[in-house]
Amino acid sequence: MRRLRSVKIVATLGPASNDYDMIRALFEAGADVFRLNMSHGDHEEIRARHQIIRKIEKDTGRPIAILADLQGPKLRVGVFANEEEELEEGASFRLDLDDQPGDKARVQLPHKEIFDALRPGASLLVNDGKIRLKVKDCGSDFANCEVMVGGTISNRKGVNVPDVVLPLAALSEKDRKDLEFVCQLGVDWLALSFVQRPADVQEARELSQGRAAILSKIEKPAAVEAFDDILAVSDGIMVARGDLGVELPVQNVPPIQKRLIRKCRTVAKPVIVATQMLESMIDSPIPTRAEVSDVATAIYEGTDAIMLSAESAAGSYPIEAVTTMNNVAIEVESDSNYREIIAAQRGGKKTSVADGIVVAAREIAETTDIKVICCFSQSGTTALLVSRERPHVPIIAMTQLVGTARRLCLSWGTHCVLTGEVERFKTAVVNAARAAREYGFASAQDQIVVTAGVPFNVPGSTNILRVAPCEERLIFATDPE
């Protein structure tokens, strides 16, 4: 099950990918992480999918990451007496707290927090931005608006408020229940929706109590503005381009994507590029050329992972979608320009012993005939630092902790291997050589680089590097101990 590319693939599960055979086929086609969308499916459906993934993990002997994506608060208008109305450009339209069915002149917006935050001149976007309203005047329970872009408005359409930071927590009551449920199940990552400020992430971290890593979805302008602070308290990032493209001018999204990927890589935190990557494959076995280029661009930018949403959850061609992503990644990463671009993006201050060790490991691997870098990692930090360097050779991340192995499945280039408890560096080198041979990364005649922290089992103690032969008798013959 060795992957022939470094970028990871996240596949969302749903009605089209709901049984053992299909989920295993997605894994074998290239999915490294499975996303459980808490917006769809009850707890029993989520539990069943979780159990299937863990069975596939056991059957294949390879760690698999599970990401639970929390829904976040959903802002929606109320209902209309005629179910829908046509709003014309230049017309007046009122939003208020009155729960009476709406008409051509008004409708309920049952979110007092929005009215508390609105100011004249603010924009309101309805139905994924298809309708644009501009606030003319407002109060604590109403907003009188001008229709800037008209269209059909119907029952319970979503509302976006791009111009203000809303006094809403990122976690609704449903999210808190879902969070506790998936943490008890044993998911590896929690994706947090509606993040606007670092405090939103801190709340999720306190509730999760270390049972899952926290991944912040960047889907609001406020999150882009506060990104550095949000990144500092997050374990990973998702660039959720769908909502970003609604709340911001669409031409702003590509440079934001590039900038956020660079910042994540600098601090060695994994980043996912998501939304509409192969959208046409919901209904077609073949993607558009533009979609292939979009996927390739994210890979060239150095993202850790690329994600499928409805393509694998509800589409007609889930396996083909994963296969397409896998093939695009292999082709891009075999391009000589890819290596030049990735190397040019390498940056960030290196200040620790661990930084120096992983930089040396990459440079040794790139200047000599080294087949693989093997890193022993208790918390995952060493593997993340090696991944940040984007070496030309594969990375084997070895750990005795299954939780660490699973979380690292999201990080660029890492092939995660569970190993027994290690107390001596010589044992670590022997285990690394065995793993390199067993998984087809090196032969007995090759050399590998091994990094670790001594004493073992102390997080963040990476302080040793060795170039070692892959043949065990040579390891013992040349062992410095």
Side-chain angles (χ1 to χ4, degrees):
M1 296 305 301
R2 174 185 171 183
R3 306 300 193 206
L4 299 178
R5 35 86 185 164
S6 295
V7 72
K8 300 304 181 72
I9 295 175
V10 182
T12 304
L13 299 184
S17 47
N18 211 27
D19 57 36
Y20 179 94
D21 290 340
M22 176 57 77
I23 297 173
R24 175 150 185 171
L26 294 176
F27 172 72
E28 292 177 350
D32 304 287
V33 181
F34 287 109
R35 172 176 172 253
L36 305 177
N37 188 352
M38 304 307 293
S39 299
H40 304 289
D42 59 29
H43 282 186
E44 288 312 305
E45 289 175 305
I46 297 297
R47 185 192 306 276
R49 290 168 189 160
H50 182 278
Q51 290 173 344
I52 289 170
I53 296 167
R54 290 298 178 233
K55 186 174 190 312
I56 293 169
E57 181 182 68
K58 182 178 179 181
D59 291 347
T60 60
R62 180 183 172 117
I64 302 174
I66 301 177
L67 183 153
D69 196 332
L70 302 177
Q71 177 177 285
K74 291 299 180 185
L75 309 179
R76 301 183 185 279
V77 299
V79 299
F80 290 84
N82 297 325
E83 295 192 354
E84 65 177 40
E85 295 286 350
E86 193 71 22
L87 301 187
E88 297 181 1
E89 183 178 335
S92 296
F93 193 74
R94 180 182 176 93
L95 300 165
D96 55 43
L97 293 175
D98 187 350
D99 62 2
Q100 293 300 307
D103 54 29
K104 198 175 184 65
R106 62 154 294 277
V107 75
Q108 181 191 26
L109 181 60
H111 304 284
K112 188 177 186 305
E113 301 89 345
I114 294 181
F115 296 114
D116 291 337
L118 283 179
R119 299 291 181 269
S123 295
L124 290 161
L125 312 177
V126 185
N127 193 14
D128 291 333
K130 294 181 177 66
I131 295 173
R132 289 179 172 265
L133 308 175
K134 184 176 182 179
V135 177
K136 306 302 288 184
D137 66 280
C138 55
S140 61
D141 59 356
F142 76 95
N144 292 323
C145 307
E146 179 183 354
V147 179
M148 307 305 292
V149 177
T152 302
I153 185 170
S154 56
N155 294 344
R156 298 187 181 88
K157 287 300 181 185
V159 177
N160 294 81
V161 190
D163 299 337
V164 295
V165 177
L166 296 175
L168 285 170
L171 295 173
S172 66
E173 188 58 35
K174 168 181 163 42
D175 293 323
R176 291 185 179 90
K177 292 178 181 177
D178 288 344
L179 184 151
E180 182 59 29
F181 171 72
V182 296
C183 282
Q184 289 185 9
L185 268 186
V187 301
D188 309 296
W189 287 89
L190 283 171
L192 187 62
S193 301
F194 209 84
V195 173
Q196 298 184 98
R197 55 184 82 80
D200 296 330
V201 187
Q202 297 285 31
E203 181 185 5
R205 190 174 298 283
E206 290 171 7
L207 291 171
S208 63
Q209 298 179 327
R211 291 173 291 176
I214 306 297
L215 187 142
S216 297
K217 295 168 66 174
I218 306 302
E219 52 191 354
K220 298 189 69 61
V224 175
E225 293 177 12
F227 181 73
D228 290 347
D229 293 332
I230 291 171
L231 177 60
V233 296
S234 304
D235 299 306
I237 294 293
M238 181 190 294
V239 186
R241 307 176 305 171
D243 281 310
L244 271 182
V246 170
E247 299 208 2
L248 289 168
V250 290
Q251 66 270 18
N252 290 11
V253 176
I256 289 172
Q257 174 178 311
K258 184 181 291 289
R259 186 164 70 248
L260 268 51
I261 290 172
R262 291 273 186 99
K263 289 188 174 185
C264 290
R265 182 177 166 190
T266 297
V267 298
K269 293 183 179 181
V271 54
I272 304 171
V273 174
T275 321
Q276 298 176 329
M277 300 213 79
L278 295 175
E279 186 88 351
S280 69
M281 292 194 75
I282 295 172
D283 301 307
S284 170
I286 302 173
T288 67
R289 306 301 182 268
E291 288 168 338
V292 170
S293 180
D294 180 41
V295 172
T297 296
I299 298 169
Y300 276 116
E301 288 172 351
T303 188
D304 287 83
I306 45 183
M307 193 176 96
L308 295 166
S309 299
E311 302 96 327
S312 58
S316 300
Y317 303 96
I319 297 173
E320 289 84 351
V322 173
T323 301
T324 297
M325 268 196 166
N326 183 72
N327 291 342
V328 172
I330 291 172
E331 189 67 24
V332 168
E333 292 180 11
S334 65
D335 178 15
S336 59
N337 288 327
Y338 171 75
R339 284 296 165 198
E340 293 177 8
I341 292 168
I342 291 297
Q345 295 171 357
R346 194 175 288 129
K349 294 179 67 176
K350 310 293 195 299
T351 59
S352 68
V353 171
D355 287 331
I357 291 288
V358 299
V359 169
R362 176 195 38 92
E363 291 183 344
I364 291 170
E366 292 179 356
T367 54
T368 60
D369 190 23
I370 297 295
K371 299 301 182 184
V372 64
I373 297 173
C374 299
C375 53
F376 284 78
S377 194
Q378 180 84 353
S379 64
T381 301
T382 303
L384 291 172
L385 291 176
V386 176
S387 175
R388 178 183 66 183
E389 288 299 305
R390 302 294 194 261
H392 290 191
V393 299
I395 304 163
I396 298 180
M398 305 190 70
T399 180
Q400 68 187 62
L401 302 178
V402 66
T404 297
R406 289 168 175 166
R407 291 179 190 182
L408 286 172
C409 290
L410 185 58
S411 297
W412 185 98
T414 55
H415 298 260
C416 303
V417 175
L418 284 170
T419 185
E421 187 171 348
V422 175
E423 295 182 352
R424 299 178 61 204
F425 186 63
K426 180 167 68 176
T427 306
V429 175
V430 170
N431 289 353
R434 287 175 180 169
R437 295 195 309 271
E438 179 180 349
Y439 292 99
F441 291 97
S443 67
Q445 291 73 42
D446 293 320
Q447 289 187 311
I448 61 175
V449 167
V450 183
T451 67
V454 178
F456 279 91
N457 305 321
V458 178
S461 64
T462 304
N463 56 11
I464 192 167
L465 177 153
R466 182 180 173 189
V467 177
C470 228
E471 190 174 352
E472 286 183 36
R473 67 178 182 82
L474 294 178
I475 294 173
F476 286 99
T478 59
D479 179 53
E481 297 179 22

